[in-house]
Amino acid sequence: MKRQIGFLGMFLAFALLCSYIESLIPFSFGIPGMKLGLTNIVVVLLLYLYGPKEALLVSVARIILAGFMFGNAFGILYSMAGGLLSWLVMSLLVKIDRFHVYSVSICGGIFHNLGQILVAALVMESAGLFGYFPFLFAGGALTGLLIGIIAKEVYRRIVRLKNG
Amino acid sequence: MERKIGAADIVLFLLLLVLAALLFWRAFAYGKSGETVEITLHGKPYGVYALSEDRVILVEDPDRDAANIVEISGGKVHMSEADCPDKLCVRQGEISRDRQTIVCLPNQVIVTVYAAEESGFDAVAE
């Protein structure tokens, strides 16, 4: 238990680092608060290393902390919607246990963006925003694949650390 | 994590590909040609213009000192200038078909083209 808390703390720090890197990259799909989703690496890793509960815990803690450090309350709202939706979808796909980590991560990326656009549409009170969705869909799939590849590589290298 | 790419993955991949194609097709090709251009600022109506009449519209936000320039020419509309940081709206290019939109999120300006019979801000709320 103690060991696990230590690991989760380390992952939280890593996720915060990803958030910081993201805040330096001026890449936002043109939507305020919308990000690349690098931190999904951590969520994917935790889903495979521990489970949905641990992934959710670290994800939510990361969103709140990063929101106060690098963003604002608005950013937290966007991130929370994207983070929760992508966590939900990825948890389900991992639980079904028939999909490769790339598929899981791609779906996570897409739903991450879907969650954010849903909140943006609500905040702006406009359905016209969904005109962005094709781009966000493709973008989410692409970053999702990238994150899946990174997560798989990182997993291979740290899984021994966790067990040994 | 050590799983190989299997049948479920391929099915999912094809499904997503079809979905993406549909989304882009709907965004770019689908729909009747438009008749009117509607502009909203902060979700509120700013103006309605005919797509057939060439004109330049300045969309100003007095509260936030932000401005966009919408240009209608040759039956098409595009965002010619914007003072938002990313200029995504400008890069989106021209639109002319029913329900196509140009969105400038930082300035909260939305330009939508409608076919004549579906004109009206109620259509936005759909």
Side-chain angles (χ1 to χ4, degrees):
Chain A
M1 187 62 195
K2 255 185 209 153
R3 192 179 165 82
Q4 180 178 344
I5 286 171
F7 265 103
L8 292 184
M10 189 191 76
F11 277 111
L12 180 57
F14 177 58
L16 281 171
L17 198 65
C18 290
S19 286
Y20 178 62
I21 291 167
E22 267 193 354
S23 74
L24 297 177
I25 306 172
F27 178 80
S28 65
F29 294 115
I31 295 189
M34 182 153 262
K35 293 285 167 179
L36 203 58
L38 271 181
T39 47
N40 258 1
I41 295 170
V42 175
V43 180
V44 174
L45 277 173
L46 287 176
L47 276 177
Y48 281 94
L49 286 171
Y50 293 99
K53 252 190 300 181
E54 287 80 0
L56 180 67
L57 186 71
V58 170
S59 184
V60 169
R62 196 277 305 173
I63 288 163
I64 294 169
L65 289 172
F68 282 117
M69 287 196 285
F70 320 118
N72 49 45
F74 229 38
I76 294 180
L77 199 64
Y78 283 109
S79 304
M80 202 62 99
L84 289 182
L85 202 57
S86 103
W87 166 80
L88 186 73
V89 168
M90 290 197 294
S91 304
L92 286 175
L93 289 179
V94 172
K95 199 173 156 64
I96 291 169
D97 197 28
R98 294 191 60 164
F99 293 100
H100 191 270
V101 56
Y102 295 170
S103 300
V104 172
S105 177
I106 287 171
C107 289
I110 292 168
F111 278 89
H112 181 256
N113 287 353
L114 181 65
Q116 296 201 322
I117 204 169
L118 278 172
V119 169
L122 282 175
V123 169
M124 286 182 64
E125 294 173 32
S126 167
L129 224 53
F130 285 94
Y132 266 128
F133 190 58
F135 302 100
L136 294 175
F137 186 93
L142 223 70
T143 53
L145 177 63
L146 184 75
I147 278 156
I149 293 169
I150 297 173
K152 191 172 160 64
E153 289 307 310
V154 174
Y155 181 91
R156 266 179 42 202
R157 285 164 176 77
I158 63 169
V159 69
R160 265 172 300 143
L161 221 80
K162 179 208 165 196
N163 297 331
Chain B
M1 191 59 109
E2 299 304 326
R3 170 189 298 281
K4 296 258 186 299
I5 292 175
D9 296 296
I10 291 163
V11 169
L12 184 79
F13 181 76
L14 291 177
L15 208 74
L16 291 177
L17 214 62
V18 169
L19 205 59
L22 272 173
L23 281 169
F24 277 100
W25 177 68
R26 200 194 173 294
F28 289 114
Y30 175 75
K32 297 160 278 197
S33 55
E35 302 266 315
T36 57
V37 177
E38 293 180 357
I39 301 176
T40 64
L41 178 64
H42 290 280
K44 294 186 185 68
Y46 188 85
V48 181
Y49 312 88
L51 197 57
S52 52
E53 254 173 77
D54 289 7
R55 67 187 299 170
V56 177
I57 304 143
L58 177 66
V59 183
E60 266 185 311
D61 184 346
D63 302 334
R64 293 201 307 160
D65 198 25
N68 294 52
I69 297 172
V70 178
E71 222 178 296
I72 304 175
S73 67
K76 290 179 173 178
V77 56
H78 69 280
M79 191 81 79
S80 56
E81 269 177 66
D83 59 5
C84 56
D86 52 58
K87 306 269 186 283
L88 236 102
C89 48
V90 176
R91 276 190 280 152
Q92 220 173 315
E94 293 177 319
I95 57 169
S96 62
R97 290 176 180 278
D98 187 29
R99 288 180 190 238
Q100 283 188 316
T101 57
I102 298 174
V103 183
C104 177
L105 259 157
N107 292 355
Q108 305 209 358
V109 174
I110 299 175
V111 179
T112 314
V113 172
Y114 285 104
E117 66 268 33
E118 280 179 305
S119 176
F121 284 100
D122 287 346
V124 176
E126 262 183 32

